[in-house]
Amino acid sequence: MKAEKDKVVAVAYTLKVDDGESGQELFETVSEESPFYFLFGHQNVLPKFEEALAGKEVGETFSVFIDFENGYGDYDDSKKVIIPKANFKEEGKKNRDLLKVGSVIPMQDDKGNQMRGEITKVDYLGVHMDFNPPLAGYDLYFEGKVMAIREAEQVEIEHGHVHGPDGHHHH
Ligand SMILES: [Zn+2]
């Protein structure tokens, strides 16, 4: 079976990243023991990543370089904002625990788009948040191996995403 649209593909890989200044650094390792499963052909992964896997069979290796423009885009300073602390209060006391450097918080912009922001600082000005994707501005180097391929369940194709290794995860 080959990796192609409407197949569930499991891959193990390492991802090295390079911001153009400090050289390559290891960002992520996905082991062969617990590979990453995704539904091929449904925009769940970067298009270039999928291109590199297209037609591969179980046991085959792949390596792909994706420059930042084809990855997560350039780093955008305008996506760094300061939000008044008061904006975090309405949902109750518990949110205080979230106001820590490093916390990633899902929010909506004024057009209703979902976005995730990381808190980079909290000071008298408010909560400093960065809405850039974590890998914005980085070139990406993937090296990996196809671990498994199976037919997707109909419900997975309808939802556009994988429901776990055996396809029977309900949500
Ligand atoms: Zn689903």
Side-chain angles (χ1 to χ4, degrees):
M1 195 180 285
K2 290 183 192 307
E4 61 185 352
K5 187 168 165 61
D6 296 342
K7 297 285 196 292
V8 171
V9 179
V11 289
Y13 65 82
T14 58
L15 169 57
K16 290 178 182 161
V17 300
D18 188 346
D19 65 0
E21 286 166 15
S22 25
Q24 278 189 26
E25 52 185 289
L26 183 63
F27 180 80
E28 185 180 25
T29 301
V30 175
S31 72
E32 297 191 3
E33 291 72 33
S34 61
F36 167 66
Y37 288 82
F38 72 100
L39 178 59
F40 198 102
H42 290 260
Q43 296 175 313
N44 290 300
V45 298
L46 293 169
K48 294 275 179 196
F49 184 82
E50 224 161 52
E51 264 175 42
L53 284 165
K56 299 268 189 196
E57 298 188 30
V58 173
E60 286 194 83
T61 58
F62 64 97
S63 78
V64 56
F65 164 70
I66 305 176
D67 63 52
F68 69 85
E69 286 171 310
N70 288 301
Y72 294 96
D74 204 353
Y75 190 85
D76 182 354
D77 275 325
S78 73
K79 289 183 180 168
K80 287 167 73 177
V81 296
I82 302 173
I83 298 173
K85 283 182 202 166
N87 289 23
F88 292 86
K89 277 182 186 158
E90 52 192 293
E91 285 169 43
K93 233 179 182 178
K94 279 181 187 166
N95 278 359
R96 283 190 164 213
D97 296 337
L98 284 177
L99 295 188
K100 284 188 294 203
V101 171
S103 290
V104 175
I105 300 179
M107 301 186 86
Q108 276 188 354
D109 68 12
D110 47 14
K111 295 180 190 110
N113 297 313
Q114 291 284 341
M115 49 207 292
R116 292 158 64 80
E118 181 179 348
I119 296 177
T120 55
K121 191 160 77 170
V122 180
D123 64 11
Y124 68 95
L125 291 170
V127 182
H128 298 241
M129 297 195 69
D130 187 346
F131 287 94
N132 282 287
L135 289 174
Y138 283 89
D139 292 331
L140 314 172
Y141 301 80
F142 289 95
E143 275 190 71
K145 188 174 171 185
V146 179
M147 302 306 297
I149 302 174
R150 65 165 169 82
E151 297 286 350
E153 301 288 332
Q154 191 56 37
V155 66
E156 291 178 307
I157 293 170
E158 283 164 15
H159 286 196
H161 57 231
V162 70
H163 285 178
D166 62 4
H168 296 135
H169 169 73
H170 297 285
H171 66 108

